[in-house]
């Protein structure tokens, strides 16, 4: 089975110079746990919701928040993104993705076309969902 049959085609991208405030708002407004970072429409990085939580002050949204805490939202995506993320082509097989998941500590794989433009994203949950369907 090809990855393209089970991947999520709905991806959210941000630019390298977009603020963490923008990333935070996207995470809050969507069900996504990963944002793909692009430059000239090409995949250059990935940010997980966990990466964001580590990068911003835990005092945000509380009475204890200071100007310095708020400034953490001014950091840029390129400052916290994982560079050169492991990606697969949409024609790859699901078993190829399983190998990637087993060999790396990652929870999703960006899916790109031949030009390295993001066309989807695959999580280990997508694979488990498919196995659960019994196909």
């Amino acid at each position: 089975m090809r990855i393209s049959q089970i991947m999520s085609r709905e991806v959210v991208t941000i630019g390298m110079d977009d603020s963490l405030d923008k990333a935070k708002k996207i995470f809050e407004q969507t069900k996504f746990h990963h944002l793909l970072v692009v430059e000239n429409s090409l995949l250059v990085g990935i940010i997980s919701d966990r990466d964001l939580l580590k990068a911003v002050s835990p005092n945000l949204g509380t009475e204890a928040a200071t100007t310095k805490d708020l400034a953490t939202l001014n950091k840029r995506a390129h400052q916290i993104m994982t560079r050169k993320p492991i990606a697969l082509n949409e024609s790859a097989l699901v078993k190829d993705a399983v190998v990637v998941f087993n060999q790396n500590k990652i929870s999703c794989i960006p899916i790109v076309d031949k030009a390295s433009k993001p066309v989807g994203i695959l999580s280990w949950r997508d694979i488990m969902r498919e196995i659960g369907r019994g196909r």
Side-chain angles (χ1 to χ4, degrees):
M1 174 179 289
R2 300 224 178 270
I3 287 174
S4 59
Q5 294 174 270
I6 65 170
M7 71 182 189
S8 172
R9 293 189 181 278
E10 189 177 353
V11 294
V12 178
T13 63
I14 60 172
M16 288 183 61
D17 288 323
D18 284 339
S19 70
L20 296 192
D21 186 45
K22 180 177 181 176
K24 182 177 181 287
K25 288 175 181 169
I26 292 171
F27 281 129
E28 290 171 350
Q29 296 169 0
T30 66
K31 61 182 172 70
F32 298 110
H33 298 282
H34 300 88
L35 298 176
L36 302 183
V37 184
V38 296
E39 185 173 46
N40 298 322
S41 299
L42 303 179
L43 179 69
V44 293
I46 191 167
I47 297 175
S48 72
D49 52 359
R50 284 185 239 151
D51 295 332
L52 182 69
L53 284 174
K54 288 185 224 173
V56 298
S57 171
N59 292 332
L60 289 177
T62 70
E63 290 182 18
T66 65
T67 303
K68 185 177 178 181
D69 295 323
L70 295 172
T72 61
L73 291 174
N74 293 328
K75 289 182 184 177
R76 301 297 165 189
H78 68 86
Q79 293 177 282
I80 70 163
M81 72 182 191
T82 298
R83 295 176 184 272
K84 298 179 183 175
I86 298 167
L88 290 174
N89 187 278
E90 58 191 326
S91 63
L93 299 175
V94 172
K95 69 179 183 177
D96 299 326
V98 170
V99 170
V100 169
F101 281 125
N102 286 336
Q103 292 178 348
N104 301 276
K105 290 184 176 184
I106 58 175
S107 57
C108 79
I109 302 171
I111 310 303
V112 296
D113 65 13
K114 292 178 183 175
S116 290
K117 291 182 181 179
V119 295
I121 195 163
L122 182 75
S123 71
W124 60 267
R125 285 184 181 92
D126 296 325
I127 295 171
M128 297 304 287
R129 189 178 311 113
E130 190 62 27
I131 290 170
R133 290 181 182 142
R135 290 195 236 175

